[in-house]
Amino acid sequence: MRKLFNIAIVLLLALSSVSCVISDADSRSTEQLAHALWHASKTHINIVSSAVEEAIHIAELVKIEDDALFDDYLSLYFQGATLSEYDYGYSITTLTGYNTKISWTVTTNNCAFGEGEWVIKRSGGNYYELTISPCTCGKLVAEMTYYNEAQTGDAFMEFTYELIDDGSAQFPGVEATYGGIIEVVDPKESAKSPLHLTIDIKQSLRISEYYGLMGGEVDIECIDEIYGSKDNITAEIFYDPRRVNIECYGEYWTLYE
């Protein structure tokens, strides 16, 4: 597959903001491919974890009874939005600096968060639909479909979380552990032969709202149906020092972040 590295990396730029100069495929190591695959995958891991964090913050927000504290929380996490309560649950609406509207529609099914199914739909900007429900194992299940520019993603995750107060912020931050899978399709290059990215969590990802990725391991597969290529890496995440160890075609690279 090494002769296809140029193709793979160029197309991966559609899945991330990585920009690099591609050298001759026969003389280049796997480092650029490994980094491009990781950066693309990290983008989508962050999309999913951020949506789960938003759901948790909505659950915390609606429990606040103090008006001033409620307003502070709403302003911090939802950009000065307004919240309305309905029979189905809640609606949160805010305006961006570009005078466009972002809204969250939250259907609670008359259940407390974590005790029944919640469905959160975000519209404006990047759209997602997220369903969170309890499972018999004691964890929560997050099922999500989202659109990020030209890309469509689906995630199925089991997670647990806690709110961590380290004294550095006004409100505690979410720290969660995730297991599951994220699948991304980018049809931009070809609707009939899209680019597929699969992120399979092998060891639970630990993600802090304030400190980002703190640990875990993922297998990442990229399939390009246009050129019939398939590439795989394994990425192991460490926090102190913050780094990712990546294995790609028997070569090993460390990316410090």
Side-chain angles (χ1 to χ4, degrees):
M1 292 297 177
R2 293 196 180 203
K3 291 183 182 297
L4 295 173
F5 278 7
N6 278 349
I7 296 166
I9 295 177
V10 169
L11 292 181
L12 273 167
L13 300 184
L15 288 168
S16 72
S17 59
V18 179
S19 177
C20 56
V21 177
I22 309 303
S23 58
D24 179 74
D26 292 325
S27 63
R28 189 182 63 255
S29 74
T30 61
E31 184 174 12
Q32 288 175 303
L33 176 65
H35 285 195
L37 276 168
W38 167 245
H39 281 294
S41 300
K42 183 180 177 182
T43 294
H44 292 279
I45 291 169
N46 287 337
I47 288 171
V48 175
S49 63
S50 293
V52 171
E53 289 163 6
E54 286 181 346
I56 293 168
H57 285 307
I58 293 170
E60 292 300 307
L61 173 68
V62 299
K63 294 190 296 185
I64 297 174
E65 296 181 353
D66 180 270
D67 289 344
L69 198 61
F70 180 93
D71 290 342
D72 286 347
Y73 203 95
L74 191 61
S75 177
L76 177 63
Y77 292 111
F78 297 97
Q79 306 171 40
T82 57
L83 180 143
S84 301
E85 188 170 356
Y86 299 95
D87 290 340
Y88 63 78
Y90 307 96
S91 176
I92 300 173
T93 304
T94 188
L95 290 175
T96 70
Y98 300 99
N99 205 35
T100 58
K101 185 172 75 172
I102 299 175
S103 64
W104 295 260
T105 302
V106 185
T107 303
T108 65
N109 293 298
N110 294 313
C111 297
F113 185 76
E115 297 180 8
E117 183 180 274
W118 275 35
V119 180
I120 300 101
K121 296 181 181 180
R122 171 177 165 153
S123 60
N126 295 326
Y127 168 86
Y128 68 70
E129 180 171 337
L130 171 65
T131 300
I132 294 181
S133 54
C135 68
T136 55
C137 64
K139 298 180 180 181
L140 295 176
V141 173
E143 298 176 79
M144 180 177 173
T145 296
Y146 63 92
Y147 301 96
N148 181 50
E149 297 178 353
Q151 303 147 32
T152 300
D154 289 287
F156 181 88
M157 313 286 272
E158 292 183 347
F159 72 97
T160 60
Y161 76 93
E162 56 184 328
L163 299 174
I164 304 295
D165 185 358
D166 63 3
S168 64
Q170 183 179 6
F171 298 105
V174 176
E175 188 171 302
T177 58
Y178 299 87
I181 192 165
I182 303 170
E183 297 181 316
V184 184
V185 178
D186 189 336
K188 186 176 181 180
E189 294 296 327
S190 170
K192 293 182 179 179
S193 302
L195 188 72
H196 297 268
L197 187 69
T198 301
I199 305 157
D200 189 1
I201 300 172
K202 308 307 291 183
Q203 293 184 12
S204 294
L205 290 176
R206 185 160 62 100
I207 303 177
S208 164
E209 179 178 17
Y210 292 145
Y211 303 111
L213 281 162
M214 300 182 71
E217 183 177 333
V218 294
D219 286 344
I220 299 164
E221 178 182 78
C222 179
I223 298 175
D224 171 19
E225 293 186 6
I226 299 176
Y227 297 99
S229 67
K230 180 170 75 172
D231 294 297
N232 300 83
I233 67 169
T234 296
E236 191 173 5
I237 300 120
F238 299 91
Y239 180 66
D240 189 15
R242 188 183 293 273
R243 67 195 188 279
V244 182
N245 291 344
I246 302 173
E247 187 273 329
C248 180
Y249 289 106
E251 296 183 311
Y252 296 84
W253 307 98
T254 298
L255 175 62
Y256 289 93
E257 300 190 317

